[in-house]
């Protein structure tokens, strides 16, 4: 569903028709949403885009849906765009991810900052290629440190401005081989 910002966001679909035509002529293309659907006041992923992209979804490696009004991500979204390398969902109202996120075996980076997560999305710990997790400015208290420590490609987890428990702050450093960014206990995010 699209609320407000419709003109700018509907224009974002225009290049997709051109790129789809390029694919039909056997010219290699790389589709990427890097700005197209950001700040469009979307409350869900537009159904029409599924239809437009149905023949090229495996070529889409980056999707940005930042700064919208998304409250959830559907299973259909995750299974449709299963070749994602980067997913940018910062600045929405998300509080959980669908279980199907564990099928994103090529995902290298996910940005979930400035959402409403209270629990760390543990599905992310099953992703073998994941290198970067950004959960800055959520409401996460507990983190599955042992599971994160076992992730082979993980290089950075940003948990700044989350009310992390004292236990996480003490247990994490000796167990992890990646950068875990945290704020001092009790620190608040600066106003926007």
């Amino acid at each position: 569903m699209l609320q407000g910002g419709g003109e700018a966001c509907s224009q974002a679909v225009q290049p997709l028709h051109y790129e789809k035509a390029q694919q039909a002529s056997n010219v290699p293309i790389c589709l990427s949403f890097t700005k197209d659907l950001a700040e469009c006041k979307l409350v869900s992923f537009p159904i029409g885009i599924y239809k437009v992209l149905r023949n090229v979804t495996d070529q889409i490696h980056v999707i940005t849906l930042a700064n919208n009004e998304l409250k959830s991500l559907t299973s259909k979204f995750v299974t449709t765009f299963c070749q994602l390398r980067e997913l940018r969902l910062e600045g929405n109202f998300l509080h959980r991810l669908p279980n199907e996120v564990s099928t994103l075996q090529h995902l290298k980076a996910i940005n979930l900052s400035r959402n409403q997560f209270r629990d760390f999305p543990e599905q992310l710990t099953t992703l073998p290629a994941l290198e970067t997790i950004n959960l800055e400015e959520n409401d996460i208290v507990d983190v599955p440190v042992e599971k994160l420590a076992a992730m082979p490609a993980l290089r950075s987890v940003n948990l700044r401005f989350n009310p992390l428990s004292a236990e996480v702050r003490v247990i994490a450093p000796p167990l992890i081989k990646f950068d875990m960014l945290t704020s001092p206990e009790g620190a608040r995010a600066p106003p926007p």
Side-chain angles (χ1 to χ4, degrees):
M1 172 155 265
L2 186 65
Q3 292 182 335
E7 184 178 322
C9 295
S10 66
Q11 290 174 356
V13 179
Q14 299 302 327
L16 300 176
H17 294 294
Y18 173 73
E19 292 184 50
K20 191 173 177 183
Q22 277 185 314
Q23 184 198 29
S25 65
N26 294 325
V27 174
I29 61 170
C30 178
L31 292 178
S32 172
F33 289 113
T34 56
K35 193 173 180 184
D36 300 27
L37 296 175
E39 300 181 16
C40 290
K41 297 187 179 182
L42 297 173
V43 295
S44 64
F45 191 76
I47 293 171
I49 296 210
Y50 288 117
K51 294 176 182 174
V52 170
L53 300 177
R54 70 178 167 263
N55 294 324
V56 294
T57 57
D58 61 334
Q59 296 174 28
I60 297 173
H61 296 153
V62 179
I63 292 181
T64 298
L65 291 165
N67 304 315
N68 280 293
E69 298 174 7
L70 299 173
K71 293 181 182 167
S72 65
L73 200 60
T74 65
S75 302
K76 179 178 182 175
F77 175 86
V78 174
T79 56
T80 300
F81 301 106
C82 60
Q83 297 297 315
L84 286 177
R85 305 298 191 269
E86 183 177 348
L87 182 55
R88 299 193 56 209
L89 296 164
E90 67 269 22
N92 282 287
F93 300 108
L94 300 171
H95 63 278
R96 65 176 185 80
L97 294 176
N99 290 333
E100 289 78 6
V101 164
S102 62
T103 65
L104 297 176
Q105 297 297 299
H106 305 287
L107 192 67
K108 291 180 181 254
I110 188 164
N111 189 337
L112 297 165
S113 64
R114 298 183 337 271
N115 275 284
Q116 297 177 351
F117 286 90
R118 292 181 183 267
D119 298 314
F120 188 96
E122 288 198 38
Q123 307 94 314
L124 298 178
T125 64
T126 65
L127 301 177
L130 195 57
E131 297 174 359
T132 305
I133 301 171
N134 187 346
L135 281 158
E136 184 173 355
E137 290 186 49
N138 279 281
D139 292 314
I140 297 169
V141 174
D142 197 24
V143 177
V145 176
E146 295 84 8
K147 290 180 180 180
L148 289 170
M151 293 177 68
L154 192 60
R155 295 190 324 202
S156 175
V157 177
N158 184 348
L159 292 165
R160 289 186 189 126
F161 303 113
N162 279 280
L164 298 174
S165 70
E167 183 179 347
V168 168
R169 293 175 184 278
V170 171
I171 290 175
L175 291 177
I176 59 176
K177 59 185 180 290
F178 54 86
D179 292 329
M180 188 164 101
L181 307 173
T182 60
S183 299
E185 194 168 353
R188 295 248 180 230

